[in-house]
Amino acid sequence: MSTPPLLEIWNLTASYGRAQVLFGLSFALHAGEVLALVGRNGAGKTTTLKAIMGLVPATAQKATFKGHSLGRLPTYKIARLGLGYVPEDRRIFTDLTVEENLEAGRKAAGGTRSPWTPERLFKLFPNLAEMRGRRGNQMSGGEQQMLTIARTLMGNPDAILLDEPSEGIAPVIVQMMAQAIQAMKAEGVAVLLCEQNWAFAAGISDRAIVIERGEMRFQGSMAELMADERLRAETLGV
Ligand SMILES: Nc1ncnc2c1ncn2[C@@H]1O[C@H](COP(=O)(O)OP(=O)(O)OP(=O)(O)O)[C@@H](O)[C@H]1O
Ligand SMILES: [Mg+2]
């Protein structure tokens, strides 16, 4: 691709105390793509996202977002550059309604795109539109997860890091989640998608990175990974 990547990571390492868990990951996320980060339990997917966001001790030869070095920036400044992060645990206000949660996610534009509004988001997440007055504590886990993503979009990110958005949610919601991620991509938001759910990741991602015990085993197109049955069996068990 000719345009410079949004997110560029060279030789990322991370440790918890003395235990090193990432061993030199290098990859780039380009505007408008969905990049899957897949690997078994404990491979280091979550740690990779946390390392990018400055939430765990990490080193990298290069870590930039839109050309800004992420080096020693605190997490909130990284987010303000236009990099959204949706961790595994759902982060919504359970006593606020869907609409109020979205309004709470509105902040000074960090990205360069035109601001999202609840109405625009409801087109991506039609099921949320139907429950706009409902409080968070009356929503299913999957609906809460979608609301967390929608709320993150209110912060106007150019790219978003999603940690296992399909985990533990009903199949019908997984389907809606896949559509919402594709709609985000169509709106120009780049997505780095950590997933254990192979079918989900394979169905919506353009490229993939496979990590095994903190090391990169594959980086390439999703079609190439689909075709490599041996590598998938070895590293993903699928
Ligand atoms: N807070 C922590 N302290 C110490 N070790 C940790 C901590 N969090 C994760 N680890 C270890 O780091 C390694 C990578 O974990 P990580 O959570 O990044 O994997 P993952 O690919 O996200 O796994 P999962 O599919 O279970 O979410 C594992 O060996 C894990 O046990
Ligand atoms: Mg994880």
Side-chain angles (χ1 to χ4, degrees), residues 13-205:
T13 73
S15 308
Y16 293 105
R18 287 191 181 171
Q20 187 172 348
V21 298
L22 298 182
F23 300 87
L25 305 184
S26 300
F27 59 90
L29 176 68
H30 294 84
E33 75 170 345
V34 179
L35 173 62
L37 178 58
V38 291
R40 289 181 200 268
N41 259 320
K45 302 178 297 294
T46 296
T47 305
T48 301
L49 300 191
K50 286 184 172 169
I52 292 167
M53 295 307 294
L55 292 165
V56 294
T59 68
Q61 242 171 308
K62 180 177 185 181
T64 57
F65 183 68
K66 297 196 291 185
H68 301 273
S69 174
L70 301 180
R72 299 185 188 286
L73 290 183
T75 304
Y76 77 93
K77 285 198 176 159
I78 294 173
R80 269 192 206 162
L81 291 174
L83 186 55
Y85 170 50
V86 180
E88 275 169 294
D89 51 334
R90 286 132 202 168
R91 305 235 169 129
I92 57 160
F93 299 108
T94 51
D95 52 348
L96 297 186
T97 66
V98 167
E99 261 182 324
E100 288 164 347
N101 266 283
L102 292 177
E103 285 301 336
R106 200 192 282 278
K107 40 190 165 193
T112 50
R113 299 180 44 70
S114 62
W116 290 92
T117 59
E119 285 311 318
R120 271 190 73 205
L121 285 167
F122 287 146
K123 293 202 175 77
L124 266 63
F125 300 91
N127 61 327
L128 295 182
E130 286 167 24
M131 56 180 82
R132 62 182 75 198
R134 192 175 299 180
R135 291 187 197 287
N137 57 16
Q138 286 160 1
M139 298 167 73
S140 74
E143 290 159 355
Q144 291 185 9
Q145 182 74 341
M146 294 186 94
L147 180 55
T148 309
I149 295 171
R151 207 187 62 169
T152 304
L153 287 173
M154 287 293 287
N156 214 21
D158 301 291
I160 193 161
L161 312 180
L162 299 179
D163 199 349
E164 307 227 20
S166 80
E167 199 196 5
I169 67 178
V172 59
I173 307 277
V174 171
Q175 192 57 42
M176 289 180 194
M177 185 79 77
Q179 284 163 5
I181 291 172
Q182 299 225 280
M184 274 162 57
K185 174 187 152 172
E187 292 285 340
V189 180
V191 180
L192 178 57
L193 173 71
C194 278
E195 265 300 337
Q196 286 261 18
N197 181 339
W198 164 250
F200 177 76
I204 59 175
S205 306

